[in-house]
Amino acid sequence: MPDRVPIYLDYNATTPVDPRVLQAMLPYFSEVYGNPANGLHRQGRLAARAVDEARERVADLIGAQPHEIVFTAGATESNNLVIDGLTRRADSGLPTSPRRRIVTTAVEHKAVLEPCRRLGREGWDVVVLPVDRDGVVDVAEAAEAIDDNTLLVSIQAANNEVGTIQPVAAIAALAHAHGVLVHCDAAQAVGKVAVNVTALDVDLLSASGHKLYGPKGIGLLYVRGGPRRLPLQPASLGGGQEAGLRPGTSNVPGIVGFGQACALAQVALPEEGARLAGLRDQLEELLVNHVLKLAINGRAAPRLPNTSSAIFPNTDADALLLNLPDLMLGTGSACTSGAVEPSHVLQAMGVSREAAFGTVRVSLGRYTQPDDVVTAVALMREAWLAVREGY
Amino acid sequence: MPDRVPIYLDYNATTPVDPRVLQAMLPYFSEVYGNPANGLHRQGRLAARAVDEARERVADLIGAQPHEIVFTAGATESNNLVIDGLTRRADSGLPTSPRRRIVTTAVEHKAVLEPCRRLGREGWDVVVLPVDRDGVVDVAEAAEAIDDNTLLVSIQAANNEVGTIQPVAAIAALAHAHGVLVHCDAAQAVGKVAVNVTALDVDLLSASGHKLYGPKGIGLLYVRGGPRRLPLQPASLGGGQEAGLRPGTSNVPGIVGFGQACALAQVALPEEGARLAGLRDQLEELLVNHVLKLAINGRAAPRLPNTSSAIFPNTDADALLLNLPDLMLGTGSACTSGAVEPSHVLQAMGVSREAAFGTVRVSLGRYTQPDDVVTAVALMREAWLAVREGY
């Protein structure tokens, strides 16, 4: 049997850097290597110009202005910067809002949920909105939770595990009626579907370069009107970069790569979305036909075009993956503090522990071909039969 | 006149990525692109292995153990992580040390001074130690300031502007006698001189990849005994990476590049230090001989081998640099909140405002050749004569 090249279907975890992105980055390692803060010489100015250009490209993709983009190390940092930056040391006597409620959802990434939980332990009133069977936040529930004492609503654009797209604009309208700031963790949406800060009507938005074929270690925080327009306290202080909100020598190659990735995504978006949705639908049809009683999580909701979360009945997904060395997939569980726990997202959707442990996440991407989908289903069926037999 | 290739003598601001570092990074963009958190498949495991190996190389350079290294986006983040992480929300009721004093020095980078100042505004007792004419912190002054109420001493290994090397080990001994934690911002020292966490006797240490021919956007925080051994609160919460102290998808290519840069520095260190010190001494001798009444800041102190801070008498350094398009240098002033101010380091050393505005920083590096030094002095002399005439 010839060696098979393993098929990567874990694009929601991270993506390979597009070769065109790497090409754009290359001159900024050893040729144009200046520190953009050093405007007094050529190296510094060339680096600053590259950062400016990238900032425009990144802003363009989400319908923002360049001065509204703060470069961070990634969406985790951006999310924390919002939640901590708006609430920082409210007990210290610094002028802050008297509002003490934070509203978020049960299906957020841990980089939103954990800082919210920390605030809860520190005395903040944190409301975690439930979701329905398909992972969608109920707008009526949100309407009830968001009040004049609410400082911030943080809601994701799309879920990383199931792909469910949230009614962000509807919830933003509710929030704004109470003068509440709206943050959107769009790490899984930017580059996969159209994301426009005006259409979403959000004040703050997070994204990561490595989810859209850009480099790891770079991300953005969008701040409506620019970072000085909101009472955001920086996490770090230092050399004043990024309008003082995120100091430290700018990661020029990372920023340039992120800019290029955004420019490529903007061109590719509508067609690529349709292509991936077609492959995803084919994948799900094949899976349902070949694996007895297989169920798809979130199938009734608006979803990302590339994500499929499938419950293999009476199966341990980890065991399934061990029998699939030629497929790279995600699962519905995670190792938390040493113990394997079913995903909090699936639990919030009412998926049983057993079903969550049997859940496999397939996320397609730019290099996924129709053959890959057919092969993947064949391999999954084979592994499922093997694992199930041994059950 | 033929075009001259501009000479870069601003290595303390940032360094070009060594081509061997870039070579080591390249496979980790588009070939081994996995998320190290995804141990269930090959891409994730290969990425995790690369991170492990880089962690060993980075640890080796500073005489640490791999589990004592936390990867951050750079020294600015590391410094803030220490100062904020040890003091975070002391008012919130969480168990924290009753110690309320922080001791630092007047010549620290802003990424140390600014978070300390913020703590001062929040009620902490922040003591900023003065330095002598050469920029050296007085150990006797430190002994007086460090008491049983002191939580942390933060002292740099070497100064970015003048190159002065601080008596870190002596101050660490004083601090430890009072049970005080010692942090060292070693961003300018690592890779330029031998830095060993045991010899320095520090509990925490910060460094950046881009100061030693590694990539921008990656740095380290050394934590003696590992991050769980100290009561450090993370700035960000999320996926649990870096022992929970610094979550977010690992910047694999950046980490690999940092590892390679550290391995190269370790091999090159003793010889390269001697080579640069020789070039620096030659530079200073030529400057003193060719520029009337030129003075060198910090010349009497132990210094980094690559750094020279020169006062051009009756000269505006910015004007000098405008006349030096073929030289890339730093100055003794910085634009802070829109106004140009003399450097706080030079001010702390007792250098007059006028002299600080006439100060040029020359920092040599791996690609500096003897010819560059001769050319640089000739160009500086020429520009100085032109600028001085117009004075």
Side-chain angles (χ1 to χ4, degrees):
Chain A
M1 196 174 99
D3 265 1
R4 212 196 304 267
V5 176
I7 300 172
Y8 188 76
L9 296 173
D10 201 10
Y11 285 87
N12 282 11
T14 193
T15 59
V17 170
D18 189 298
R20 294 166 291 179
V21 169
L22 180 56
Q23 215 51 45
M25 294 170 71
L26 283 180
Y28 295 93
F29 288 106
S30 312
E31 293 156 46
V32 179
Y33 52 79
N35 185 332
N38 296 93
L40 281 171
H41 60 63
R42 191 174 153 73
Q43 273 289 347
R45 284 191 299 269
L46 288 175
R49 199 178 302 162
V51 169
D52 288 348
E53 200 179 304
R55 203 183 299 275
E56 283 183 33
R57 296 174 136 197
V58 167
D60 269 357
L61 179 62
I62 59 170
Q65 295 299 314
H67 72 279
E68 298 177 312
I69 301 297
V70 174
F71 287 117
T72 66
T76 285
E77 184 185 348
S78 303
N79 291 341
N80 277 272
L81 199 46
V82 168
I83 294 162
D84 252 36
L86 288 172
T87 59
R88 191 186 160 89
R89 314 232 186 203
D91 304 321
S92 71
L94 294 174
T96 47
S97 163
R99 294 170 180 243
R100 299 287 290 180
R101 174 172 280 193
I102 311 282
V103 176
T104 187
T105 87
V107 294
E108 299 300 312
H109 190 273
K110 284 182 179 176
V112 166
L113 279 177
E114 291 297 329
C116 285
R117 283 193 191 123
R118 177 156 69 174
L119 287 177
R121 290 193 298 273
E122 291 171 4
W124 289 73
D125 174 19
V126 176
V127 178
V128 178
L129 299 173
V131 296
D132 68 15
R133 184 85 219 177
D134 289 304
V136 183
V137 174
D138 189 325
V139 178
E141 291 264 10
E144 215 157 302
I146 298 166
D147 61 13
D148 289 343
N149 188 38
T150 304
L151 177 67
L152 174 73
V153 174
S154 182
I155 178 168
Q156 65 191 186
N159 186 265
N160 55 322
E161 294 184 35
V162 183
T164 307
I165 292 173
Q166 300 296 347
V168 176
I171 289 173
L174 291 172
H176 288 144
H178 289 278
V180 176
L181 291 169
V182 178
H183 167 248
C184 179
D185 175 2
Q188 290 293 344
V190 173
K192 296 193 183 103
V193 290
V195 170
N196 181 290
V197 291
T198 307
L200 289 176
D201 194 19
V202 296
D203 304 291
L204 300 138
L205 182 139
S206 308
S208 275
H210 76 98
K211 302 288 191 193
L212 60 150
Y213 313 94
K216 297 177 177 71
I218 192 77
L220 70 84
L221 177 63
Y222 157 80
V223 186
R224 181 182 275 182
R228 293 181 203 279
R229 289 286 294 279
L230 285 181
L232 268 176
Q233 294 280 329
S236 288
L237 300 174
Q241 289 90 346
E242 300 298 314
L245 195 58
R246 209 287 189 168
T249 299
S250 304
N251 176 359
V252 182
I255 289 168
V256 167
F258 192 14
Q260 178 71 8
C262 288
L264 293 172
Q266 197 158 15
V267 173
L269 240 182
E271 274 184 44
E272 177 67 358
R275 184 184 80 89
L276 290 177
L279 290 178
R280 191 262 328 265
D281 290 347
Q282 189 196 353
L283 172 94
E284 293 186 345
E285 204 186 312
L286 286 170
L287 273 179
V288 168
N289 288 342
H290 285 80
V291 176
L292 205 67
K293 292 189 183 164
L294 179 136
I296 305 289
N297 291 308
R299 205 176 190 177
R303 275 191 298 165
L304 292 175
N306 79 314
T307 308
S308 187
S309 172
I311 305 173
F312 286 75
N314 302 322
T315 308
D316 178 65
D318 280 6
L320 193 74
L321 263 57
L322 286 175
N323 280 270
L324 283 168
D326 291 334
L327 280 191
M328 297 185 265
L329 303 163
T331 68
S333 59
C335 184
T336 308
S337 345
V340 178
E341 280 296 318
S343 122
H344 70 280
V345 171
L346 297 177
Q347 286 187 294
M349 290 166 61
V351 174
S352 73
R353 283 177 70 90
E354 200 199 345
F357 280 127
T359 295
V360 167
R361 177 185 70 183
V362 186
S363 48
L364 315 178
R366 191 168 286 171
Y367 307 107
T368 309
Q369 296 304 316
D371 277 1
D372 296 334
V373 169
V374 175
T375 306
V377 173
L379 291 172
M380 281 191 271
R381 176 182 152 82
E382 209 173 290
W384 171 69
L385 290 171
V387 170
R388 191 172 164 250
E389 275 171 14
Y391 220 71
Chain B
M1 196 173 98
D3 265 1
R4 210 198 303 268
V5 175
I7 301 172
Y8 187 76
L9 296 173
D10 201 9
Y11 285 86
N12 282 10
T14 192
T15 59
V17 171
D18 188 299
R20 294 166 292 179
V21 168
L22 180 55
Q23 215 51 43
M25 294 170 72
L26 283 179
Y28 294 92
F29 288 105
S30 312
E31 293 154 46
V32 180
Y33 51 81
N35 185 333
N38 296 92
L40 281 172
H41 60 62
R42 191 175 154 73
Q43 273 289 347
R45 284 192 298 270
L46 288 175
R49 200 179 301 164
V51 168
D52 287 348
E53 200 179 303
R55 202 183 299 274
E56 283 185 31
R57 294 174 137 200
V58 167
D60 268 359
L61 179 63
I62 59 169
Q65 296 299 315
H67 72 280
E68 297 176 314
I69 302 296
V70 174
F71 287 117
T72 66
T76 285
E77 184 185 348
S78 303
N79 291 339
N80 278 272
L81 199 46
V82 168
I83 295 163
D84 253 37
L86 287 172
T87 60
R88 189 185 162 91
R89 317 234 185 196
D91 305 321
S92 71
L94 294 175
T96 48
S97 164
R99 295 170 179 242
R100 298 287 292 182
R101 174 171 280 192
I102 311 281
V103 176
T104 188
T105 87
V107 294
E108 298 301 312
H109 190 274
K110 284 181 179 174
V112 167
L113 280 177
E114 291 298 328
C116 285
R117 282 192 191 123
R118 176 155 69 173
L119 287 178
R121 291 193 297 273
E122 291 171 5
W124 288 73
D125 174 19
V126 176
V127 178
V128 179
L129 298 173
V131 296
D132 68 15
R133 184 85 221 177
D134 289 304
V136 184
V137 174
D138 190 325
V139 177
E141 290 264 12
E144 218 159 298
I146 299 166
D147 62 12
D148 288 344
N149 188 38
T150 305
L151 177 67
L152 174 73
V153 174
S154 182
I155 178 168
Q156 65 191 189
N159 186 266
N160 56 322
E161 294 186 33
V162 183
T164 307
I165 292 173
Q166 300 296 349
V168 176
I171 288 172
L174 290 172
H176 289 144
H178 290 279
V180 175
L181 291 169
V182 179
H183 167 247
C184 179
D185 174 3
Q188 289 293 343
V190 173
K192 295 194 183 102
V193 290
V195 170
N196 181 290
V197 291
T198 307
L200 289 176
D201 195 19
V202 295
D203 304 292
L204 300 138
L205 182 139
S206 307
S208 274
H210 76 99
K211 302 287 191 194
L212 60 148
Y213 312 94
K216 295 176 177 72
I218 190 78
L220 71 84
L221 177 63
Y222 156 80
V223 185
R224 182 181 274 180
R228 292 185 202 275
R229 289 288 293 278
L230 286 181
L232 270 174
Q233 294 280 330
S236 288
L237 299 175
Q241 290 90 345
E242 300 298 313
L245 196 57
R246 209 286 189 171
T249 298
S250 304
N251 175 358
V252 182
I255 289 169
V256 167
F258 193 14
Q260 178 72 6
C262 288
L264 293 172
Q266 196 158 17
V267 172
L269 239 183
E271 274 185 41
E272 178 67 359
R275 185 184 80 88
L276 290 176
L279 290 178
R280 191 263 326 265
D281 291 347
Q282 189 196 353
L283 172 95
E284 293 188 345
E285 204 187 310
L286 286 170
L287 274 178
V288 167
N289 288 340
H290 285 82
V291 177
L292 206 67
K293 291 188 181 161
L294 178 136
I296 305 289
N297 291 308
R299 205 175 191 179
R303 278 189 297 165
L304 292 174
N306 79 315
T307 308
S308 188
S309 171
I311 305 173
F312 286 76
N314 301 322
T315 308
D316 179 65
D318 280 6
L320 193 75
L321 263 57
L322 286 175
N323 278 269
L324 284 168
D326 291 334
L327 280 190
M328 298 185 261
L329 304 162
T331 68
S333 59
C335 183
T336 308
S337 342
V340 177
E341 279 296 319
S343 118
H344 70 281
V345 172
L346 298 175
Q347 285 188 294
M349 290 165 62
V351 175
S352 72
R353 284 179 69 90
E354 200 199 344
F357 279 129
T359 295
V360 168
R361 178 184 69 183
V362 186
S363 48
L364 316 177
R366 190 169 286 171
Y367 306 109
T368 308
Q369 295 304 314
D371 277 3
D372 295 334
V373 169
V374 175
T375 306
V377 173
L379 291 172
M380 281 192 269
R381 178 182 150 81
E382 211 174 289
W384 171 69
L385 289 172
V387 170
R388 191 171 162 250
E389 276 170 13
Y391 221 72

